[in-house]
Amino acid sequence: MDVDEISEKINMVLKEIGKAIIGYDYELKLLLASLLSDGHVLLEGVPGIAKTTIARALVRVLGLEERRKYFIENTPFTGFSRIQFTPDLMPSDITGSLIFNPVTREFEPRLGPIFSYIVLADEINRATPRTQSAMLQAMQEREVTIGDKTYKLEYKDKGKFFFVIATENPIEQEGTYPLPEAQLDRFMMRIIMGYPKSLEDEKNIYKLHAYRIVEPIEDLEKIVTPEWIVEAQKTISKKILVPDPMLDYIARIVRATRPETLKSTRKYFELGASPRAGIMLVKASKALAAIRGSDKVEYVDLEKALFPVLNHRVIPNIDLVIEYGGDFEARMRVIREGLKHAVEAVT
């Protein structure tokens, strides 16, 4: 597989999903870049802006079926699982548990919905920290333990990947358990989704649904396979170059987000980005370069990846957040200004 094929196919995927999702081209590109980088995504936005629909659309274009069982080494996986997170959700409701069989008089494993290619963790901040931890451990380790047996969640040699799309509503705080920074770090990107950007986009959304009974995603066609995605992941990791000057530039930006490294950053951040953030920034930039059709990372790729990769890996200065209004928008404004300051400081 070469880079041109990856670019061509991914742009076909974007075009196909665009038939059902209008006005979120940039966000969709970031989502696919995360998938191609073998990362996970947190979609943050108010209800009703197609966060769940995006996940289901991705399932369609990959040719996966939501309820079909895919058996890999005798382990059944579904194409897509949606887990609605609530305060009473238990870790075993996600990973699975042992069930006593009165016939055999033995405990047998019942695998949970996390055994899937694509898992949608809907409103992940509504579950308790204990349940969140079970989900995030699986994301990091790519395996779960039920009883005394450990099950793998991905088999790259057989075309089985494991991709988590989590959603959050940034407005509602009552009855939620915000993810701590250490757990947010498990997500490659946090993609902030707003309302449609223009009046024309909003009208086109209404037109798309005006004369339909079923959802538009039902008409989407298969473009690539899960096996193709895994092969593309391998190609990007091996063939997309990160020139030394670009690697140096990324390292300088990440270090400039740390108040102890750059004192002027204290105005914006209480805590800067970690080396893992830099690793994720490199991987995301490589995937965006491949989507663009280039075999090496350039500034335009880094620019697109910078905010979604780092916005949840820095802690903004609370005093400046309060000065700007104290809400979610104020928090994002401080982070944007801080990242801009870090880039300007090393340019």
Side-chain angles (χ1 to χ4, degrees):
M1 183 181 293
D2 58 25
V3 176
D4 289 338
E5 180 185 345
I6 293 175
S7 178
E8 180 184 357
K9 287 288 188 182
I10 291 300
N11 280 288
M12 288 173 63
V13 168
L14 287 167
K15 185 177 180 180
E16 188 68 16
I17 296 178
K19 295 177 182 178
I21 308 294
I22 296 173
Y24 293 104
D25 297 344
Y26 172 62
E27 290 82 357
L28 288 171
K29 188 172 291 187
L30 292 175
L31 181 78
L32 289 171
S34 295
L35 174 59
L36 293 173
S37 305
D38 199 24
H40 306 291
V41 167
L42 177 62
L43 298 180
E44 191 139 354
V46 298
I49 56 174
K51 299 189 297 293
T52 302
T53 306
I54 285 173
R56 295 185 60 211
L58 181 60
V59 172
R60 299 282 297 188
V61 297
L62 294 181
L64 293 166
E65 297 178 29
E66 297 184 19
R67 295 175 178 82
R68 176 185 165 187
K69 295 292 185 181
Y70 300 83
F71 285 88
I72 302 175
E73 294 194 3
N74 297 320
T75 302
F77 295 91
T78 56
F80 174 69
S81 292
R82 176 181 178 179
I83 307 172
Q84 188 67 47
F85 278 67
T86 56
D88 61 346
L89 191 73
M90 298 295 291
S92 59
D93 295 328
I94 296 174
T95 60
S97 59
L98 292 175
I99 302 297
F100 182 72
N101 187 332
V103 177
T104 61
R105 302 187 66 80
E106 294 180 350
F107 284 94
E108 299 176 351
R110 183 184 64 182
L111 306 185
I114 203 168
F115 286 83
S116 185
Y117 282 76
I118 297 176
V119 176
L120 176 64
D122 216 359
E123 296 187 285
I124 191 171
N125 57 332
R126 290 200 176 278
T128 61
R130 179 184 178 191
T131 303
Q132 292 173 359
S133 297
M135 181 73 188
L136 297 166
Q137 180 186 9
M139 291 166 55
Q140 182 69 20
E141 306 299 333
R142 310 292 174 114
E143 61 184 26
V144 295
T145 300
I146 302 174
D148 59 355
K149 184 174 180 180
T150 299
Y151 297 84
K152 293 173 62 177
L153 294 175
E154 65 178 17
Y155 294 85
K156 289 296 178 68
D157 57 328
K158 295 179 172 58
K160 168 64 176 73
F161 60 82
F162 175 61
F163 185 47
V164 173
I165 303 174
T167 69
E168 276 192 347
N169 178 355
I171 307 302
E172 292 184 5
Q173 299 301 324
E174 186 176 347
T176 64
Y177 302 84
L179 293 173
E181 280 68 22
Q183 293 183 355
L184 282 171
D185 203 37
R186 300 294 191 274
F187 293 97
M188 169 170 273
M189 295 187 190
R190 177 168 70 170
I191 302 174
I192 310 300
M193 295 184 62
Y195 291 114
K197 298 176 182 63
S198 68
L199 175 63
E200 196 62 31
D201 283 343
E202 190 123 0
K203 286 167 60 180
N204 287 334
I205 292 172
Y206 300 161
K207 286 179 182 178
L208 183 64
H209 291 264
Y211 304 101
R212 302 181 60 91
I213 296 177
V214 298
E215 291 288 330
I217 60 171
E218 299 297 329
D219 295 336
L220 298 185
E221 297 181 358
K222 173 183 173 182
I223 303 297
V224 295
T225 63
E227 291 80 9
W228 186 93
I229 291 293
V230 172
E231 192 63 32
Q233 290 175 342
K234 294 177 181 177
T235 300
I236 289 170
S237 67
K238 294 177 181 178
K239 295 185 178 181
I240 303 299
L241 302 177
V242 187
D244 284 343
M246 180 58 67
L247 204 60
D248 179 75
Y249 188 50
I250 292 173
R252 288 175 180 272
I253 291 174
V254 171
R255 289 179 63 82
T257 64
R258 303 169 190 163
E260 57 267 35
T261 302
L262 184 65
K263 290 185 178 180
S264 58
T265 303
R266 293 183 187 277
K267 176 182 176 182
Y268 304 100
F269 299 139
E270 294 181 3
L271 184 70
S274 67
R276 183 189 292 173
I279 294 170
M280 295 297 104
L281 195 53
V282 169
K283 289 186 175 183
S285 298
K286 289 178 67 171
L288 287 167
I291 294 173
R292 187 170 52 83
S294 173
D295 63 354
K296 69 176 181 179
V297 174
E298 297 178 4
Y299 178 76
V300 64
D301 307 308
L302 173 62
E303 186 180 32
K304 289 179 181 176
L306 190 64
F307 181 75
V309 171
L310 296 188
N311 73 72
H312 57 299
R313 292 186 163 97
V314 294
I315 299 179
N317 186 315
I318 188 62
D319 293 332
L320 191 57
V321 172
I322 293 173
E323 181 182 329
Y324 285 169
D327 57 5
F328 178 76
E329 290 298 328
R331 186 181 179 89
M332 290 301 105
R333 180 183 170 186
V334 172
I335 293 173
R336 287 184 188 277
E337 290 183 0
L339 292 178
K340 182 181 178 181
H341 174 77
V343 171
E344 291 174 348
V346 301
T347 300

